[in-house]
Amino acid sequence: MEQILFLFVALVAITGAVYFVFARNPLYAILSLIVVMFSIAGLYILLNAQFLGIVQIIVYAGAIMVLFLYILMMLNLSKEDESKKQNLMKFAGVFSAGLLLISILGAFRGFKVQAVAENVDSSVGLTKNLGRLLFNEYVLPFELASILIFAGIVGAVLIGKKDL
Amino acid sequence: MEGNSFIQVVPLEYFIILCSVLFCLGVLGVLVRKNAIIILGCVELMLNSVNLLLAAFSSYKGDGNGQILVFFIMVVAAAEVAVGLAIIAMMYRNTKSVDISIFNKLRG
Amino acid sequence: MENLVYAIILLPLLGFLINGLFGKNLPKMVVGTLATLVVFVSFCITVSLFLKFDAESQPVIVRAFEWFRISGIQINFGFQIDQLSLMMMMIITGIGSLIHLYSIGYMSHDKGFYKFFTYLNLFIFSMLLLVMGSNYLILFIGWEGVGLCSYLLIGFWYTNKEYGAAARKAFIMNRIGDLGMIIGIFMIASQTNAVDFLSVAENSSKFALDSPIIIFITGSLFIGAMGKSAQIPLFTWLPDAMAGPTPVSALIHAATMVTAGIYLVVRSNFLFSLAPTTMDGILFIGLLTALVAAFIGLRQNDIKKVLAYSTVSQLGFMFVAVGIGAYTTAMFHLMTHAFFKALLFLGSGSVIHAMSDEQDMRLMGGLKKKIPITHITFLIGTLAISGFPFLSGMISKDEILTNAYGKNPIIWVILFAIAAMTAIYMFRAYYLTFHGEFRGTAEQEKHLHESPKTMTIPLIILAGLSVVGGFINLPHFIGHGNYSKLAHWLESIYVYDVELPEVAFGTEMILLGLTVLMFFVVWFIVKNIYVTKKKMALPDEKYSGWERLSNKKLFLDELYNATFVRFIEGLGVGGNMFDKGILNKFSDFIGIGAEDSGRAAKRLQNGNVENYVLIMSLAIGIILIVNFILQ
């Protein structure tokens, strides 16, 4: 049952990603990317990483993708007239991406199928547990992350000003 | 719990394959596309695939550190997108286009 | 005693320093007098030392300081005063001071007056260093020093390019000889573990008679002597050295520097006596040189060139004496030759001075009434060198001839012929210059005058010495204890007894008689040709046959030029081509290579972002694959 679920969600993610990479109209591309985000959130839920799933939807699909759409609308690029890229470059791109895929999947050579551990603690993804971990061991990175966001905000505002 | 059964049923290799495909699709997009915004989106795709893999490892191992890392990656990605899109907006304002092939002034 | 020795050698050095540093601002009289005075005082001190010495005195070593040590050999800087060095010192300082006096008058019109005396004093200093040194290294310092001064003085009138070339020729030929000398000194040091004369003499007994090593050492030393004393093949520099002022020719190229080679060989008698093969070689070369030089001298028309070739020929005589083993005879002839050759050169300088710098004898003539003192002294010099009975030249030359007969009668015959040629060319020079009608210009005739006293006094003194100088070593048939004084004096110098061949008394008298007879016959014939028949020397182009060979110096200079000089120049040209063509190209290649590789690398950076990303991802892929393969 879970396998079928997983397969379905994975397929949706891959289809969305493929359409995103090859779409002519950037608006359609961004929309399909949102679909990918949602499917990944679904996979998080399946993995019992509840916190991450929710954050994925809120931050990624809700904030980042919306930002993309804002910029797209502002630039009014609904109709795409992308100049033709050289065939050689396209071929080289496909070749190198394929190379990367093959080399990563080559890790499967000599892979021994491991038995799944019986006593895996699956409550790891719960918010309570994650929170405990975050505020006990990772409190310093947490604070630094807030400074990072602050820097990002300042930077974005500064760059985007009309008159510098 | 259900998570337990999911982990027992779906082998970890499936996740590895899925994430590799998503990652390489992102790489392909960066190499092939010319629209700056789409390229940024491809970068997001790559990041997401890595996030997924990390979360999968974390779940399959029962270790929470992986998911904490995913959390931080999301933070960084958000900040990065914000700044990146501001830059793209600047690009458009100066050249009325977001085609990256016109930005070749730094040549040797 | 030590202070006196230091004074002898340091006084000329002092004169050199004062004249060199301040001479430009001092009045001429001060410069000349100071230079002459320092040499004369050195002479007086030398005489006082001489009076303290007798034939049995031991050599006095004055050690100034320890110079350096090397691999167990301690080398001192010191002076050796013995009979041989005293003899040379007296000649150097005595004739040197006379020539200094002469130069005051001769160079009085020259702008470089103070420079001349500076160089002369430096020369006296170097020459004294050469003969006073207690080891081979100090001798070599002096050797090089006189070579340097010779160069400076030959090229004294440096604005003339030919004179400069002549100076360079002298220096370079000297240098070739010096190489042999250095090799010899190094071999001596390595074989006997010492370089000072007394130690080497002691250790010399370990050399086997005529062993290859001793032949090599003495041969090398002789090569050095060849360069310095102008023997074949290194003699062509001496005639060209006549480019220098006449006092220079008199001092350096007649009386002192050229005799350094003889001094070296006599000083090293403990080495040469052990190498009869080298002695034969010396004999042969000396004989050949004497013959060739005398032949060339027969048809030279520049008065100084005649005297130059005469010097080379007489040096050949001295080396013949050395080669036979008659060291004393060689030193005797060295001394008498110094007297009359210096006299002849100074006399010729006086003639040239009177003739307003004309040197070609064909444009002289009839000068005997106009410059009487010069005439008489020049005549005495000519008689001395040609062998007029009881003059110094005859006695010393006769001793060489007698010893030569004892060695091998053929050598006597050749020397006899050379002596005849000597008389011929000397009398020819004398008659062409002083007799007959005046063949110069009217302008020159107006200026004909006797030289000032500063020039004539040395002439008179030297003439006197040329007459009586022979009496210090009369042959023993004179008897009454007055004979062989010099031989007795120099006895202690010789380490090994050299067996001089005995010549029977009767034979000796016959040889002597033949020589005297030849002298008068030649005198009569030459006088006949040039005075009675008034035959004239031809201009250069009209010579033919043997006369042409003689006049053109046997084409030796041209031969040297075509072989050695062209060869070295060719090497230079080849080296230039190698440097420009190959070495330059090589360094250019590296530079161009760097440039080209930079240009190729530049193409990677074309500014296209897609390109950059593509290359990045390709690289990552390749790295991963390589990683997998390596595992």
Side-chain angles (χ1 to χ4, degrees):
Chain A
M1 166 63 192
E2 283 80 1
Q3 275 182 328
I4 297 174
L5 206 53
F6 169 79
L7 238 62
F8 175 67
V9 176
L11 260 144
V12 168
I14 290 183
T15 313
V18 167
Y19 189 69
F20 165 68
V21 169
F22 290 115
R24 285 286 120 205
N25 194 336
L27 188 58
Y28 293 169
I30 299 296
L31 290 176
S32 71
L33 191 59
I34 294 179
V35 168
V36 172
M37 295 298 161
F38 270 108
S39 56
I40 288 185
L43 281 171
Y44 279 144
I45 304 289
L46 277 176
L47 282 170
N48 209 16
Q50 301 162 357
F51 178 67
L52 280 185
I54 302 301
V55 168
Q56 169 90 357
I57 293 179
I58 296 175
V59 171
Y60 259 106
I64 293 179
M65 285 301 120
V66 170
L67 187 57
F68 266 99
L69 280 174
Y70 280 164
I71 297 292
L72 211 56
M73 297 302 180
M74 188 176 77
L75 301 186
N76 216 2
L77 283 177
S78 54
K79 210 44 188 235
E80 175 59 31
D81 36 11
E82 201 170 295
S83 53
K84 269 296 182 195
K85 232 179 142 128
Q86 294 162 304
N87 271 340
L88 180 65
M89 295 299 286
K90 280 197 196 160
F91 179 70
V94 171
F95 176 73
S96 51
L99 199 64
L100 194 58
L101 183 62
I102 291 177
S103 53
I104 291 178
L105 290 183
F108 276 121
R109 256 174 24 143
F111 219 54
K112 284 206 200 75
V113 176
Q114 298 195 341
V116 179
E118 277 296 331
N119 301 328
V120 172
D121 183 13
S122 63
S123 67
V124 146
L126 296 178
T127 312
K128 188 162 93 168
N129 296 334
L130 218 52
R132 193 173 293 140
L133 199 54
L134 186 60
F135 289 112
N136 277 336
E137 286 172 29
Y138 292 96
V139 76
L140 184 58
F142 183 73
E143 302 301 330
L144 289 178
S146 65
I147 297 181
L148 179 71
I149 292 180
F150 178 64
I153 293 174
V154 170
V157 167
L158 208 54
I159 292 178
K161 269 170 78 128
K162 242 207 167 84
D163 39 14
L164 264 80
Chain B
M1 295 170 72
E2 301 123 49
N4 227 341
S5 67
F6 182 80
I7 287 174
Q8 284 168 343
V9 170
V10 176
L12 188 54
E13 290 84 351
Y14 287 16
F15 272 102
I16 295 180
I17 295 174
L18 170 67
C19 293
S20 309
V21 169
L22 283 177
F23 186 80
C24 290
L25 275 173
V27 169
L28 183 63
V30 168
L31 293 179
V32 170
R33 294 300 295 250
K34 275 185 144 185
N35 194 331
I37 300 176
I38 303 298
I39 289 182
L40 205 54
C42 290
V43 172
E44 290 305 308
L45 182 58
M46 284 195 270
L47 280 169
N48 267 292
S49 75
V50 167
N51 280 350
L52 182 59
L53 192 58
L54 262 173
F57 278 142
S58 155
S59 286
Y60 274 73
K61 196 167 173 234
D63 192 355
N65 290 318
Q67 298 194 3
I68 300 291
L69 187 55
V70 169
F71 175 73
F72 285 119
I73 290 178
M74 279 189 197
V75 168
V76 170
E80 166 218 332
V81 162
V83 175
L85 282 175
I87 293 178
I88 290 179
M90 212 55 197
M91 262 168 66
Y92 183 77
R93 230 181 260 150
N94 280 324
T95 58
K96 286 288 178 275
S97 158
V98 282
D99 188 345
I100 60 163
S101 60
I102 64 175
F103 292 96
N104 58 357
K105 292 293 183 282
L106 273 181
R107 48 182 297 137
Chain C
M1 169 74 146
E2 281 182 9
N3 291 336
L4 290 179
V5 172
Y6 289 141
I8 294 178
I9 190 142
L10 289 176
L11 274 172
L13 185 64
L14 187 67
F16 158 71
L17 285 171
I18 295 183
N19 275 336
L21 293 172
F22 309 115
K24 212 164 178 178
N25 307 321
L26 296 170
K28 275 203 184 135
M29 272 327 282
V30 174
V31 168
T33 317
L34 175 70
T36 313
L37 212 56
V38 288
V39 183
F40 186 65
V41 171
S42 285
F43 174 66
C44 296
I45 301 178
T46 311
V47 170
S48 78
L49 280 182
F50 166 71
L51 291 174
K52 289 205 192 110
F53 254 72
D54 60 29
E56 274 81 36
S57 304
Q58 291 300 308
V60 174
I61 306 284
V62 176
R63 204 192 104 176
F65 53 89
E66 180 185 300
W67 196 3
F68 59 92
R69 269 177 216 265
I70 191 164
S71 64
I73 308 179
Q74 181 190 29
I75 298 178
N76 292 326
F77 200 101
F79 306 112
Q80 178 167 334
I81 308 294
D82 60 13
Q83 290 85 353
L84 180 63
S85 59
L86 270 177
M87 182 177 169
M88 290 296 295
M89 282 154 68
M90 283 203 290
I91 295 177
I92 296 168
T93 49
I95 299 189
S97 43
L98 285 175
I99 293 183
H100 274 75
L101 182 62
Y102 181 89
S103 305
I104 298 181
Y106 191 78
M107 302 291 289
S108 58
H109 297 304
D110 198 294
K111 273 201 307 237
F113 189 79
Y114 79 98
K115 231 185 343 161
F116 190 74
F117 280 97
T118 314
Y119 292 155
L120 274 188
N121 273 10
L122 183 65
F123 173 80
I124 299 284
F125 169 71
S126 304
M127 193 71 202
L128 281 175
L129 205 58
L130 200 160
V131 301
M132 280 167 72
S134 65
N135 60 50
Y136 279 102
L137 291 180
I138 301 180
L139 190 151
F140 192 67
I141 298 178
W143 191 272
E144 293 294 319
V146 296
L148 171 70
C149 292
S150 173
Y151 166 79
L152 289 172
L153 285 165
I154 294 175
F156 186 68
W157 292 310
Y158 55 85
T159 45
N160 185 325
K161 284 212 166 55
E162 276 176 26
Y163 296 170
R168 277 204 301 281
K169 183 174 178 179
F171 192 77
I172 292 176
M173 276 196 165
N174 257 232
R175 218 60 193 105
I176 299 176
D178 289 347
L179 180 63
M181 176 127 173
I182 285 237
I183 293 178
I185 296 181
F186 285 161
M187 289 302 295
I188 291 176
S190 77
Q191 291 294 315
T192 59
N193 269 339
V195 285
D196 55 295
F197 299 128
L198 294 178
S199 306
V200 178
E202 267 174 48
N203 293 339
S204 61
S205 50
K206 66 179 252 220
F207 290 117
L209 192 68
D210 239 5
S211 59
I213 187 78
I214 193 73
I215 294 181
F216 180 74
I217 292 179
T218 49
S220 309
L221 287 179
F222 179 61
I223 291 179
M226 249 201 275
K228 201 58 111 197
S229 298
Q231 297 297 294
I232 284 179
L234 298 171
F235 74 98
T236 51
W237 64 270
L238 205 146
D240 284 357
M242 295 302 115
T246 312
V248 171
S249 309
L251 181 62
I252 299 185
H253 307 126
T256 42
M257 187 181 97
V258 293
T259 58
I262 311 278
Y263 170 75
L264 173 69
V265 178
V266 174
R267 179 56 93 189
S268 312
N269 63 79
F270 36 81
L271 292 174
F272 280 90
S273 299
L274 294 172
T277 314
T278 318
M279 300 280 265
D280 285 339
I282 297 179
L283 176 64
F284 177 69
I285 289 184
L287 201 58
L288 189 63
T289 308
L291 188 60
V292 166
F295 175 71
I296 298 179
L298 285 175
R299 281 290 175 269
Q300 293 297 313
N301 290 316
D302 180 333
I303 191 170
K304 280 176 75 173
K305 287 257 170 34
V306 175
L307 295 176
Y309 282 106
S310 167
T311 306
V312 177
S313 184
Q314 295 300 309
L315 286 171
F317 266 86
M318 290 182 227
F319 275 110
V320 167
V322 165
I324 297 175
Y327 299 115
T328 308
T329 314
M331 291 305 293
F332 183 33
H333 197 63
L334 189 154
M335 195 180 76
T336 60
H337 173 261
F339 293 150
F340 53 70
K341 197 41 72 60
L343 169 63
L344 284 168
F345 265 112
L346 293 185
S348 73
S350 186
V351 168
I352 294 171
H353 182 84
M355 290 286 298
S356 317
D357 292 337
E358 176 60 65
Q359 291 185 240
D360 193 332
M361 294 189 294
R362 294 168 290 196
L363 300 174
M364 299 181 191
L367 294 178
K368 67 176 178 186
K369 292 279 187 338
K370 307 278 171 61
I371 43 176
I373 302 183
T374 310
H375 167 242
I376 297 291
T377 52
F378 197 89
L379 178 60
I380 293 179
T382 311
L383 291 174
I385 193 175
S386 308
F388 188 87
F390 297 118
L391 258 51
S392 59
M394 183 222 112
I395 302 181
S396 62
K397 211 191 306 187
D398 185 66
E399 200 172 316
I400 298 181
L401 263 74
T402 312
N403 283 320
Y405 185 85
K407 176 93 175 173
N408 190 340
I410 300 182
I411 304 182
W412 182 90
V413 172
I414 301 178
L415 284 180
F416 186 77
I418 299 177
M421 284 198 273
T422 308
I424 295 177
Y425 64 66
M426 280 315 300
F427 275 117
R428 172 177 178 269
Y430 166 72
Y431 282 120
L432 277 179
T433 310
F434 290 101
H435 284 251
E437 308 234 323
F438 183 70
R439 296 179 292 273
T441 66
E443 186 66 30
Q444 285 169 334
E445 192 163 6
K446 255 200 303 188
H447 284 230
L448 275 179
H449 60 282
E450 183 60 85
S451 308
K453 285 247 184 16
T454 51
M455 286 167 69
T456 53
I457 291 180
L459 288 177
I460 297 174
I461 297 180
L462 284 171
L465 282 173
S466 300
V467 172
V468 306
F471 293 144
I472 67 168
N473 204 32
L474 296 170
H476 43 258
F477 57 78
I478 300 295
H480 295 303
N482 277 338
Y483 61 89
S484 296
K485 279 217 178 91
L486 185 63
H488 189 56
W489 166 261
L490 285 178
E491 243 170 20
S492 54
I493 302 293
Y494 309 126
V495 178
Y496 301 109
D497 290 327
V498 181
E499 278 297 320
L500 284 180
E502 269 297 319
V503 180
F505 179 67
T507 323
E508 195 175 336
M509 290 313 290
I510 296 178
L511 297 174
L512 183 60
L514 275 175
T515 319
V516 173
L517 184 64
M518 174 269 289
F519 167 77
F520 283 107
V521 166
V522 167
W523 190 4
F524 179 71
I525 294 180
V526 175
K527 179 163 182 180
N528 204 16
I529 296 177
Y530 287 105
V531 178
T532 320
K533 287 203 201 145
K534 290 201 202 290
K535 180 170 168 199
M536 193 30 55
L538 301 168
D540 280 348
E541 312 80 56
K542 294 241 178 75
Y543 281 124
S544 65
W546 70 267
E547 291 185 331
R548 182 143 188 276
L549 270 182
S550 165
N551 184 256
K552 292 289 181 205
K553 308 170 283 176
L554 287 178
F555 297 107
L556 274 175
D557 272 324
E558 286 79 1
L559 179 69
Y560 283 169
N561 202 24
T563 51
F564 298 116
V565 177
R566 288 258 181 278
F567 175 65
I568 303 281
E569 276 178 6
L571 280 182
V573 168
N576 190 29
M577 281 189 346
F578 178 69
D579 180 41
K580 283 220 177 72
I582 300 183
L583 290 181
N584 252 12
K585 287 235 165 35
F586 184 65
S587 51
D588 278 352
F589 172 70
I590 295 181
I592 292 177
E595 226 178 297
D596 280 346
S597 57
R599 209 171 290 137
K602 202 172 74 163
R603 276 193 239 122
L604 267 179
Q605 288 187 322
N606 55 4
N608 276 338
V609 181
E610 314 119 43
N611 231 350
Y612 292 169
V613 178
L614 177 62
I615 294 178
M616 267 194 280
S617 56
L618 259 175
I620 292 177
I622 290 177
I623 289 175
L624 281 173
I625 290 185
V626 168
N627 218 4
F628 281 137
I629 292 179
L630 284 180
Q631 271 170 4

